[in-house]
């Protein structure tokens, strides 16, 4: 069964475009390239599609090969072509022939851009990993992924596509619009990191606001602080809250129904603009900027959040991956520096997000890195917090010890402001 599956998506081709709608010419080109590659044709089928909005239809064709197949589809309206060459390597290794065939066809169409994929198929030892490999982009050039055994739920909510998947490493995992959000066996990295550095640095946090965070994971961490009387959680999407209540108890441990908690469904930006109440902690536990959360990553919104902070309060948010999204981290910390006296950037590797992940505690008063290890230890003890999987008194300081490439993204701390900090 094992073999090699090559695909190529060709954009803005500049070769002889008449071939896009000429079935016999296209078939002749494919036959010629196939024979040149040394693969063996055993059958073929071609179809020309009808005219569309006055434009001639494209052509779809398959050459059946003794070694598997070649498939081709043309899109004359955009000058696009998709190619698919699959060879099995059962009786011999046909990989170089497959590579020669797809390269010959790519050259013939002279595309401005090509997107290629190489898949190893049908490993002779049996499945290399159970389940579907789902990839997520770190930026336009980098992806990472996990294999999932099964999809428990897939739902288009009013705002986003919500999936629940199950993986051997991660357990039950939530994805929103194809982005990994949280996972049973791994959630402690992010949820402990987004809550405890700020919460421990506040001497007596009583009233908190979480915007987003509908999975209840950050909420559960916050409720571990026995100083907390009240938490208001505002998430845009009722489905996220409902699904998390029903399926993600291993993450939220019922926090969404805790008597100290008010769970509201709505736009966090709207809520902050209209609420009179002041909060000791505000946690922005949102999807990334390129989602419905976009307006909540603006200078204006940072100012609005500052206006709902009680004196001595702090806000926390995640900034993205400093290696893969340096400009996002740079621009966000620059915007925050224009609003808050102290922008304490920190970070950690988060397996579910495929990278070292940046966060920041922002405040006019609180600077987590100024808190000594023994103070962190004392406050953890005073608040009876002893069941954490990531955060502890030493990790607190380590989180704020930044690698140089990340530190360089942050606004220059001028000598005077540094002296002020040390004073
Ligand atoms: N930990 C995740 C991360 O770092 O990407 C975030 C998890 S949480 C599930 C993200 C939540 O933000 C989602 O439930 C989504 O509905 C919510 N959200 C997005 N835009 C929002 C908005 N404008 N107001 C309130 N919640 C919002």
């Amino acid at each position: 069964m094992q073999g090699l599956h090559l695909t190529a998506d060709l954009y803005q081709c500049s070769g002889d475009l008449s071939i896009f709608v000429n079935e016999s010419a296209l078939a002749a080109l494919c036959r010629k390239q196939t024979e040149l590659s040394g693969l063996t044709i055993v059958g073929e089928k071609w179809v020309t599609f009808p005219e569309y909005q006055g434009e001639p239809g494209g052509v779809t064709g398959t050459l059946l090969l003794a070694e598997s197949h070649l498939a081709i589809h043309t899109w004359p309206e955009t000058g696009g072509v998709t190619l698919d060459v699959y060879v099995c390597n059962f009786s011999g290794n046909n990989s170089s022939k497959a590579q020669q065939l797809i390269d010959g066809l790519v050259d013939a169409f002279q595309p401005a851009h090509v997107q290629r994929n190489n898949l190893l198929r049908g490993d002779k030892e049996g499945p290399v990993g159970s389940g579907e490999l789902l990839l997520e982009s770190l930026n336009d050039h980098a992806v990472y992924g996990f294999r999932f055994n099964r999809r428990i739920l897939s739902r288009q909510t009013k705002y986003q596509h919500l999936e629940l998947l199950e993986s051997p490493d991660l357990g039950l995992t939530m994805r929103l619009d194809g982005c990994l959000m949280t996972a049973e066996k791994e959630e402690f990295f992010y949820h402990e990191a987004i809550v405890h550095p700020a919460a421990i640095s506040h001497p007596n946090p009583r009233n908190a606001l979480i915007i987003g965070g509908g999975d209840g994971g950050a909420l559960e961490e916050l409720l571990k602080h026995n100083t907390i009387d009240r938490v208001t959680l505002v998430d845009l999407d009722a489905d996220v809250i409902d699904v998390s209540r029903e399926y993600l108890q291993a993450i939220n441990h019922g926090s969404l129904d805790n008597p100290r908690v008010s769970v509201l469904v709505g736009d966090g930006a709207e809520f902050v603009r209209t609420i009179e109440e002041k909060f000791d902690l505000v946690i922005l536990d949102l999807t990334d900027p390129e989602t419905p959360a976009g307006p909540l990553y603006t200078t204006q919104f940072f100012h609005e959040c500052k206006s709902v902070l009680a004196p001595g309060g702090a806000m926390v948010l995640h900034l993205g991956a400093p290696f893969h999204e340096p400009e996002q981290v740079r621009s966000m910390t620059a915007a925050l520096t224009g609003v808050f006296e102290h922008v304490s950037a920190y970070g950690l590797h988060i397996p579910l997000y495929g990278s070292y992940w940046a966060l920041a505690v922002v405040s006019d008063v609180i600077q987590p890195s100024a808190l000594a290890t023994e103070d962190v230890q004392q406050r953890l003890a005073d608040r009876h917090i002893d069941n954490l999987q990531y955060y502890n008194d030493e990790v607190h300081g380590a989180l704020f010890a930044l690698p140089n490439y990340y530190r360089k993204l942050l606004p220059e701390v001028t000598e005077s402001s540094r002296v002020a900090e040390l004073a």
Side-chain angles (χ1 to χ4, degrees):
M1 250 173 77
Q2 73 271 29
L4 178 65
H5 198 152
L6 305 175
T7 69
D9 302 335
L10 283 55
Y11 298 85
Q12 296 147 29
C13 297
S14 56
D16 167 11
L17 297 184
S18 65
I19 200 168
F20 277 70
V21 295
N22 181 334
E23 189 178 304
S24 56
L26 192 68
L29 169 69
C30 291
R31 281 188 219 109
K32 179 182 157 212
Q33 290 298 336
T34 302
E35 281 148 13
L36 283 174
S37 73
L39 293 169
T40 316
I41 300 170
V42 293
E44 57 186 280
K45 176 77 179 165
W46 297 88
V47 173
T48 300
F49 287 91
E51 269 198 19
Y52 176 68
Q53 293 179 347
E55 294 293 326
V59 178
T60 276
T62 304
L63 288 187
L64 295 178
L65 306 175
E67 302 83 356
S68 289
H69 73 250
L70 158 65
I72 183 167
H73 308 268
T74 67
W75 273 270
E77 64 276 22
T78 61
V81 179
T82 55
L83 295 169
D84 190 317
V85 175
Y86 172 37
V87 289
C88 79
N89 290 333
F90 179 65
S91 52
N93 187 341
N94 296 303
S95 301
S96 57
K97 294 176 182 172
Q99 197 62 55
Q100 184 182 341
L101 171 52
I102 206 160
D103 290 349
L105 288 169
V106 170
D107 293 350
F109 285 101
Q110 297 168 45
H113 311 289
V114 188
Q115 177 92 52
R116 288 179 185 252
N117 289 297
N118 291 19
L119 276 177
L120 296 179
R121 303 287 306 267
D123 186 278
K124 56 182 173 302
E125 307 303 329
V128 287
S130 54
E132 178 186 0
L133 175 61
L134 290 177
L135 300 178
E136 182 172 334
S137 293
L138 287 159
N139 59 27
D140 292 346
H141 326 291
V143 292
Y144 73 104
F146 294 90
R147 283 194 182 280
F148 291 91
N149 288 342
R150 63 190 182 115
R151 188 175 261 93
I152 311 281
L153 175 150
S154 174
R155 180 187 302 179
Q156 184 57 46
T157 77
K158 194 175 162 195
Y159 297 98
Q160 48 212 338
H161 181 224
L162 193 168
E163 294 167 286
L164 271 188
L165 304 139
E166 192 169 57
S167 126
D169 283 5
L170 301 169
L172 263 187
T173 305
M174 179 191 283
R175 272 200 334 165
L176 290 176
D177 286 342
C179 293
L180 292 164
M181 290 288 123
T182 191
E184 281 177 331
K185 297 182 183 174
E186 180 277 355
E187 56 82 25
F188 62 88
F189 285 87
Y190 172 84
H191 288 133
E192 291 186 18
I194 201 167
V195 168
H196 298 303
I200 278 293
S201 301
H202 192 296
N204 185 25
R206 309 194 72 80
N207 189 13
L209 168 63
I210 297 178
I211 297 182
D215 52 67
L219 177 60
E220 195 244 346
E221 293 304 325
L222 205 47
L223 291 170
K224 289 178 180 171
H225 292 258
N226 57 16
T227 57
I228 291 284
D229 297 329
R230 255 173 69 72
V231 185
T232 304
L233 182 143
V234 183
D235 196 301
L236 186 66
D237 197 332
D239 285 73
V240 171
I241 296 167
D242 296 344
V243 166
S244 300
R245 270 199 173 102
E246 185 176 352
Y247 291 92
L248 298 181
Q249 290 283 333
I251 292 176
N252 57 53
H253 299 283
S255 63
L256 293 163
D257 298 304
N258 185 295
R260 289 183 280 168
V261 178
S262 307
V263 176
L264 307 175
V265 175
D267 175 17
E270 201 48 47
F271 177 83
V272 163
R273 274 197 280 273
T274 49
I275 189 73
E276 296 293 315
E277 204 173 341
K278 300 295 179 195
F279 301 94
D280 299 316
L281 294 172
V282 173
I283 297 178
L284 304 185
D285 181 8
L286 291 159
T287 45
D288 289 347
E290 59 278 6
T291 69
L296 288 75
Y297 287 94
T298 59
T299 303
Q300 181 197 326
F301 182 67
F302 296 154
H303 276 294
E304 289 164 356
C305 286
K306 182 172 179 176
S307 68
V308 301
L309 277 180
M315 179 170 89
V316 196
L317 70 165
H318 64 93
L319 307 169
F323 179 74
H324 296 287
E325 305 165 295
E327 280 322 305
Q328 177 173 300
V329 174
R330 187 197 311 275
S331 60
M332 257 207 260
T333 47
L336 290 162
T337 304
V339 179
F340 294 93
E341 193 62 32
H342 304 297
V343 176
S344 304
Y346 62 111
L348 73 161
H349 176 77
I350 299 182
L352 191 68
Y353 300 159
S355 179
Y356 175 93
W357 205 256
L359 300 100
V361 176
V362 294
S363 170
D364 281 351
V365 174
I366 287 176
Q367 294 181 81
S369 49
L371 201 61
T373 305
E374 45 279 11
D375 295 335
V376 175
Q377 204 173 47
Q378 189 55 54
R379 287 186 181 177
L380 285 171
D382 294 346
R383 298 181 193 179
H384 306 302
I385 301 174
D386 52 14
N387 56 349
L388 303 179
Q389 292 176 273
Y390 190 91
Y391 179 83
N392 60 44
D393 54 342
E394 289 174 344
V395 161
H396 177 89
L399 286 167
F400 293 89
L402 305 184
N404 294 344
Y405 83 94
Y406 177 9
R407 194 192 273 178
K408 282 185 189 141
L409 299 174
L410 308 179
E412 273 297 300
V413 178
T414 56
E415 201 36 50
S416 53
S417 65
R418 185 180 292 283
V419 167
E421 260 185 30
L422 297 175

